[in-house]
């Protein structure tokens, strides 16, 4: 906890809540007051009504469920592969040297640009969406794990070696635990990026998912539905991020407490 | 030169050890230490002092089996050191505690690697922590401890593997002066009680004199041993009391003279770690 913890935290939470109320009020009455038509910015109550309508008639739950499933699958696969490659490259400098130009090129390439290609390959299924998410989650996790292994204090390795540690012991007792905090930083980034990857995939092609609902609303000039989709997507991303933070707190319990929104 | 009295068995010995490193990019080799020979007897504490970059840490790395010398041999209990050795443990200026392990688990790090049974590991850790007044901190994490406490945990971890020989590389140079004196006393008492053999690298001349039976002086790079001083003052197990002995001051004066500290130019200090 930060010094002065409780009272300053309560103040911060109070201010956050006040901001939310102001924002919602501005959303409800602002457009009308400024003469903005409701098909440009629908007021809060209209979006709320559309939410109920979409829930009842547009399979909002199904679309959300499909998107969550794709995000989960993409995030899990992407981070698993990212961590795996991070550890493999981290332990083999030769492999890293050989592969680093290609990894860099892939990292620079905008991953979402692959979405149409994947849809050409795999059709209007859930797989191209998952694949975009995998690709997009892979890099931050891999790069963080790789850098973490590079940055392990060589004296720590020597200490383990002096105790006659085997290569496997050095990995499991020193390198792997040392890589966890940066890996979690990568996973946090990955959790929000996974949503981006999936949505882009859904925007490009398909007939299910929140990204599809978004384009469907756009096609019908149904601005409230577009807003409903955006809110739901934000919710999905937020829950994914929070889930990572909660797991991180359990795993990295030995670190001094930190804030939720902290980046590293 | 540089041998303990004939009646004591030799624990650690350097025989004509020379170490050369390839210079970065170039073909030329940089000689860190040249022709170093000395022996440390059972239960003896020997300090190694010398200017920065004279190869003290290199000797320590060779003794712990992390580096192989270019020429010559290091021997522990009469056997040439061919790699890390369970009878030797080292401790550095950095405590090297693992932040994800609680204090007791850090103390058990070495014995765990060496495959000591879990019950025995816990017993040793508990004993050592009690000895260093750290029992109540067993379950704390390193970031919750002060620098001096962390260094005592590091010392407990070094002792937990029950080594014959301790190699100590400026173990207390990162803590404040008062804490350092308390740590020196803890170390001296432990070394005396357990009859451990130790080679101590230090820049602190008082530390060298008050903690040791003998002090070896090394020259500028390429490091060679240029002097050996036997500290003939009683009470090696109590450096704080020993410090008050007038002979200590004269030994320190002699070391200063030998190192030519009064006339040494202030030069760019090479990183001690790579030399």
């Amino acid at each position: 906890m930060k010094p002065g913890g409780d009272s300053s935290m309560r103040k911060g939470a109070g201010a956050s809540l006040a901001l939310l109320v102001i924002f919602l009020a501005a959303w409800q009455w602002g457009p009308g007051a400024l003469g903005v038509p409701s098909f440009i910015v629908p007021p809060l109550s209209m979006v709320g009504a559309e939410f109920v309508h979409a829930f009842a008639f547009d399979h909002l739950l199904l679309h959300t469920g499909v998107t969550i499933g794709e995000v989960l699958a993409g995030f899990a696969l992407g981070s698993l592969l990212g961590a795996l490659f991070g550890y493999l490259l981290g332990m083999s400098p030769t492999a890293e040297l050989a592969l680093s130009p290609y990894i860099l090129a892939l990292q620079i390439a905008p991953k979402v640009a692959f979405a149409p290609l994947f849809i050409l390959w795999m059709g209007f299924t859930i797989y191209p969406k998952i694949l975009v998410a995998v690709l997009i989650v892979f890099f931050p996790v891999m790069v963080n794990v790789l850098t973490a292994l590079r940055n392990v204090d060589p004296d720590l390795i020597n200490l383990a070696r002096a105790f006659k540690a085997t290569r496997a012991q050095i990995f499991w007792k020193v390198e792997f635990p040392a890589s966890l905090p940066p890996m979690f930083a990568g996973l946090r980034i990955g959790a929000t990026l996974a949503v981006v990857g999936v949505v882009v995939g859904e925007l490009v092609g398909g007939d299910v998912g929140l990204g599809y609902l978004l384009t469907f609303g756009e096609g019908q000039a149904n601005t409230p539905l577009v807003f409903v989709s955006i809110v739901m997507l934000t919710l999905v991303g937020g829950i994914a991020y929070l889930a990572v933070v909660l797991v991180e707190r359990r795993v990295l319990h030995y670190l001094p407490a930190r804030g939720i929104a902290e980046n590293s | 030169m540089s041998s303990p009295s004939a009646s004591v068995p030799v624990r650690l010995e350097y025989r004509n050890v020379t170490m050369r490193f390839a210079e970065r990019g170039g073909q030329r080799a940089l000689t860190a230490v040249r022709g170093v020979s000395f022996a440390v007897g059972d239960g003896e504490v020997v300090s190694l002092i010398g200017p920065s970059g004279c190869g003290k840490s290199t000797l320590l790395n060779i003794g712990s089996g992390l580096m192989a010398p270019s020429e010559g041999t290091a021997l522990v209990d009469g056997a040439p050191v061919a790699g890390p050795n369970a009878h030797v443990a080292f401790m550095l200026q950095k405590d090297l505690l693992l932040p994800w392990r609680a204090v007791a688990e850090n103390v058990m790090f070495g014995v765990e690697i060496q495959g000591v049974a879990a019950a025995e590991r816990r017993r040793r850790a508990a004993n050592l922590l009690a000895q260093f007044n750290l029992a109540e901190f067993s379950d704390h994490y390193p970031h919750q401890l002060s620098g001096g406490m962390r260094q005592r945990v590091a010392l407990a971890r070094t002792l937990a593997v029950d080594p014959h020989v301790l190699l100590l590389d400026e173990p207390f140079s990162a803590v404040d002066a008062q804490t350092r004196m308390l740590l020196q006393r803890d170390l001296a008492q432990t070394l005396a009680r357990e009859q451990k053999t130790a080679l101590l690298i230090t820049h602190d001349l008082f530390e060298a004199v008050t903690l040791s039976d003998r002090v070896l002086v090394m020259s500028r790079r390429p490091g060679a041993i240029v002097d050996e001083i036997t500290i003939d003052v009683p009470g090696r197990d109590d450096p704080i009391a020993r410090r008050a002995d007038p002979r200590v001051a004269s030994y320190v004066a002699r070391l200063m003279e030998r190192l030519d500290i009064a006339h040494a130019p202030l030069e760019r200090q090479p990183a001690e770690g790579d030399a």
Side-chain angles (χ1 to χ4, degrees), chain A residues 2-87:
Chain A
K2 288 200 190 86
D6 258 14
S7 79
S8 74
M9 243 171 74
R10 214 170 301 141
K11 264 188 207 160
S16 275
L17 206 66
L19 274 174
L20 178 69
V21 171
I22 293 169
F23 172 74
L24 292 179
W27 188 357
Q28 175 62 31
W29 291 291
L34 294 170
V36 178
S38 65
F39 63 84
I40 301 288
V41 181
L44 179 61
S45 55
M46 233 171 122
V47 175
E50 180 60 36
F51 179 85
V52 175
H53 183 267
F55 189 82
F57 302 104
D58 289 329
H59 309 289
L60 180 60
L61 217 55
L62 171 74
H63 292 299
T64 311
V66 168
T67 299
I68 288 177
E70 291 165 347
V71 167
L72 278 180
F75 176 72
L77 262 172
S79 44
L80 211 71
L81 286 172
L84 197 71
F85 271 77
Y87 288 121

Side-chain angles (χ1 to χ4, degrees), chain A residues 103-114 135 139:
Chain A
I103 289 169
L104 187 68
L106 255 181
Q107 206 183 346
I108 293 168
K111 263 71 70 185
V112 294
F114 287 85
L135 204 59
F139 288 96

Side-chain angles (χ1 to χ4, degrees), chain B residues 65 68 74 79-85:
Chain B
V81 174
N85 180 320

Side-chain angles (χ1 to χ4, degrees), chain A residues 63-230:
Chain A
H63 292 299
T64 311
V66 168
T67 299
I68 288 177
E70 291 165 347
V71 167
L72 278 180
F75 176 72
L77 262 172
S79 44
L80 211 71
L81 286 172
L84 197 71
F85 271 77
Y87 288 121
L88 287 178
L89 295 186
M91 293 205 281
S92 161
T94 327
E96 194 203 346
L97 268 174
L99 291 177
S100 62
Y102 309 107
I103 289 169
L104 187 68
L106 255 181
Q107 206 183 346
I108 293 168
K111 263 71 70 185
V112 294
F114 287 85
L117 184 67
F118 293 159
I119 285 176
L120 278 176
W121 289 348
M122 289 176 256
F124 291 155
T125 58
I126 56 168
Y127 303 110
K129 289 95 176 172
I130 294 174
L131 198 56
V132 177
V134 167
L135 204 59
I136 215 168
V137 170
F138 177 83
F139 288 96
V141 177
M142 187 208 72
V143 169
N144 278 26
V145 168
L146 184 58
T147 320
L149 288 186
R150 289 270 159 282
N151 289 341
V152 175
D153 185 346
D155 283 332
L156 267 181
I157 310 265
N158 277 341
L159 178 75
R161 279 180 58 209
F163 287 134
K164 303 192 74 162
T166 60
R167 187 68 193 83
Q169 283 178 319
I170 291 175
F171 178 76
W172 289 113
K173 291 187 193 294
V174 180
E175 292 176 320
F176 178 70
S179 72
L180 286 181
M183 183 169 92
F184 270 103
L187 289 177
R188 281 200 246 172
I189 300 169
T192 50
L193 288 183
V195 181
V196 175
V198 164
V199 172
V200 170
E202 289 173 348
L203 286 175
V204 173
D207 51 12
V208 70
L210 287 171
Y212 162 74
L213 202 62
L214 203 70
T215 45
F216 176 75
E218 182 208 358
Q220 295 192 323
N222 182 353
T223 322
L225 185 58
V226 173
F227 272 82
V228 166
S229 309
I230 292 174

